[in-house]
Amino acid sequence: MVQPITVRLSRVVKPLESRWQLAALLAALLSALAVAAAVVWHRGAADRSFKRALAALDARQFELVQRELARLDGIAGFEPHRHFLRGTVLLAGGQCFAALEEFGRCVDHPELRVRTLILSGQALYRVKRFRDAVGLLVQALEADPQAADAYACLAAAYDDLGLLNEAFQAWSRLAELRPDDFYPHRMMGLRCKDFERWESAVPMYQEALQRQPPQPDRNEILLEMAECQIRLQRWEEALGTLAQCFPSPQRWTKEAECHLSAGRLDEAQQLLDRSLQHSPVDLSALLLAGTLALQQGKGEAAVAAWQRAAIAYPREYVVHYKLSQAFRRLGKEAEAKRHADLAEELRQVRLEFSQLHATAAAEPDNADVRCRLGVLAKQLDRSDLARGWFHAALSINPRHAEALQHLTGQARQASKP
């Protein structure tokens, strides 16, 4: 019996439909796999691009950073990375506040958090917001205790706030993390020297020198170390240190001081003459020239040298003290008294300045103390130092009226021809 044609067709069509469905399913699977592969490839390419950008960032090649940033545009999941890279480029260009806005949009990303906190701390440090910088850098170190860049900026922020104990701890930790870096020991030596801790400063400088600092840092370290050795009355050691320095008025003056202390007056005179010929109003050279003249019995010559120093450095305590002593020897009591009064006034300013350093270190949130230190620095004709203390006060209290007033006054004065 012959089957109806519809029955025979159904037997053919159903297998064909199954094949078409299978083919469609396979096509859909292949398409999905292709999309997934494309996504994986793009994410892999984006990840490689970001790593290249980080390497360029470490090498400070910001044009390469921008190039890789453009390659990340539009790739899903890399929006925080784009904000981070844009922030680094802005920070490199000095646009600190714009950089902080970008960093604020990626700081919560786990992969970027530590770097973002460090760079945000550096941006805040650059705009003199030292306290805020400390807060972010401490957070970075809580997340990664090995973050050397965070310690470097943290030490600088503590130093500017007058928190020397904390700064020394940060420098010490930085020296452990970067054993070949001369900078931490150089800074510890410099601060010891600033506070007349000569005995502690010398080994710090020696440690810095062992790490092969580049020029001109090496020369500056040698000069600073020689000054400490002179204060410790280690004349021959100081001469050995100075022999490694470049010829300069600073070197010749320090060498002259060593020879003078050892009783070699002719050598001291020759070196001083050379120094003053190249730098006629160098304070150290003028002070030493007066001392040498006095030892040679030339009272008028000593007074002449110190008067030149008084004209160039009218707020220098030791100049007025020496002039008061010299005029008294010459029997000029009125001049002696005038310089003695000035010396006493400056001595009191220096004494308060020294005492307030300890107060600032003990009271990290005291803006008034830091403003007062700025005022005293101005009275000592140290406008650079005064500016630093006023900024330190404002980093604690951004609305500190007196600090703002002094900084505005300094800016106006600096703008005058």
Side-chain angles (χ1 to χ4, degrees):
M1 177 178 170
V2 178
Q3 293 179 333
I5 190 169
T6 54
V7 175
R8 294 199 304 271
L9 284 174
S10 67
R11 291 175 180 173
V12 175
V13 169
K14 283 183 180 178
L16 288 174
E17 287 177 350
S18 299
R19 289 172 188 158
W20 290 337
Q21 289 172 350
L22 181 58
L25 180 60
L26 286 172
L29 286 172
L30 288 172
S31 177
L33 286 172
V35 170
V39 169
V40 169
W41 186 88
H42 279 292
R43 289 191 63 84
D47 189 57
R48 289 190 295 274
S49 184
F50 183 66
K51 287 178 180 178
R52 286 194 298 271
L54 291 181
L57 173 62
D58 290 336
R60 304 191 64 79
Q61 296 174 332
F62 295 104
E63 289 184 4
L64 293 179
V65 174
Q66 289 181 304
R67 189 183 308 166
E68 299 301 337
L69 173 59
R71 290 174 178 166
L72 293 175
D73 192 34
I75 298 179
F78 279 81
E79 186 65 24
H81 302 73
R82 292 196 292 274
H83 285 302
F84 174 81
L85 293 177
R86 277 196 289 267
T88 64
V89 172
L90 288 166
L91 183 59
Q95 300 181 58
C96 296
F97 291 109
L100 285 166
E101 288 186 17
E102 295 291 340
F103 292 143
R105 295 170 183 165
C106 60
V107 69
D108 293 326
H109 191 284
E111 181 186 355
L112 304 173
R113 181 168 176 75
V114 172
R115 278 180 175 263
T116 302
L117 286 169
I118 293 172
L119 290 172
S120 298
Q122 292 173 354
L124 288 167
Y125 178 81
R126 288 191 192 183
V127 296
K128 311 296 184 184
R129 288 171 54 180
F130 306 129
R131 290 289 293 175
D132 294 335
V134 166
L136 293 185
L137 294 165
V138 168
Q139 288 184 54
L141 288 168
E142 288 172 352
D144 180 7
Q146 308 297 314
D149 286 346
Y151 278 111
C153 191
L154 185 63
Y158 280 142
D159 187 35
D160 284 318
L161 285 166
L163 304 176
L164 285 184
N165 289 335
E166 290 83 349
F168 267 74
Q169 291 174 8
W171 280 319
S172 297
R173 183 65 180 130
L174 180 61
E176 293 174 4
L177 293 170
R178 293 178 176 169
D180 296 329
D181 189 355
F182 75 95
Y183 181 77
H185 286 97
R186 189 272 165 88
M187 288 306 301
M188 288 188 282
L190 182 59
R191 288 297 169 260
C192 287
K193 183 180 81 71
D194 289 343
F195 287 90
E196 300 183 357
R197 291 160 51 187
W198 321 115
E199 195 73 53
S200 300
V202 171
M204 293 294 180
Y205 284 130
Q206 290 170 336
E207 287 289 339
L209 289 167
Q210 286 180 7
R211 286 156 176 76
Q212 303 300 316
Q215 296 292 5
D217 297 278
R218 175 179 166 78
N219 197 66
E220 291 174 0
I221 292 169
L222 287 167
L223 288 169
E224 290 165 13
M225 187 170 76
E227 183 179 342
C228 296
Q229 291 167 331
I230 289 170
R231 298 294 169 263
L232 293 167
Q233 300 183 9
R234 300 176 186 170
W235 320 118
E236 299 307 319
E237 282 185 30
L239 285 170
T241 300
L242 292 165
Q244 303 174 58
C245 297
F246 295 136
S248 69
Q250 280 183 293
R251 170 182 166 174
W252 299 326
T253 299
K254 294 182 192 304
E255 288 176 330
E257 186 171 357
C258 293
H259 287 298
L260 177 60
S261 300
R264 297 186 287 268
L265 303 191
D266 290 341
E267 291 92 331
Q269 188 68 66
Q270 291 173 9
L271 287 161
L272 266 181
D273 290 344
R274 189 190 308 173
S275 178
L276 287 169
Q277 184 180 1
H278 285 79
S279 185
V281 291
D282 179 76
L283 176 61
S284 298
L286 288 171
L287 289 173
L288 194 61
T291 301
L292 178 56
L294 209 59
Q295 286 196 16
Q296 295 169 333
K298 303 174 183 177
E300 294 291 348
V303 167
W306 291 335
Q307 283 182 319
R308 284 169 60 192
I311 293 170
Y313 308 93
R315 302 294 293 172
E316 185 63 42
Y317 158 76
V318 69
V319 171
H320 294 290
Y321 175 77
K322 284 181 175 292
L323 278 170
S324 71
Q325 298 293 311
F327 279 122
R328 190 162 285 116
R329 288 189 185 188
L330 295 172
K332 299 181 179 181
E333 290 300 326
E335 285 295 298
K337 183 179 185 310
R338 182 171 72 86
H339 286 287
D341 290 345
L342 269 171
E344 178 59 22
E345 175 193 332
L346 292 168
R347 189 186 73 83
Q348 291 297 329
V349 173
R350 284 161 57 98
L351 179 62
E352 184 182 357
F353 190 67
S354 176
Q355 291 171 341
L356 282 183
H357 273 87
T359 305
E363 300 178 15
D365 297 320
N366 193 329
D368 292 338
V369 166
R370 286 157 177 80
C371 183
R372 179 61 182 165
L373 281 163
V375 171
L376 294 171
K378 280 183 69 175
Q379 292 177 12
L380 295 171
D381 269 355
R382 290 294 307 276
S383 58
D384 54 339
L385 198 56
R387 227 174 2 255
W389 282 116
F390 292 139
H391 281 301
L394 290 170
S395 75
I396 296 169
N397 177 9
R399 297 184 179 181
H400 198 284
E402 187 179 359
L404 284 168
Q405 183 180 5
H406 280 293
L407 275 177
T408 303
Q410 280 191 312
R412 287 174 180 165
Q413 188 66 29
S415 66
K416 291 181 181 179

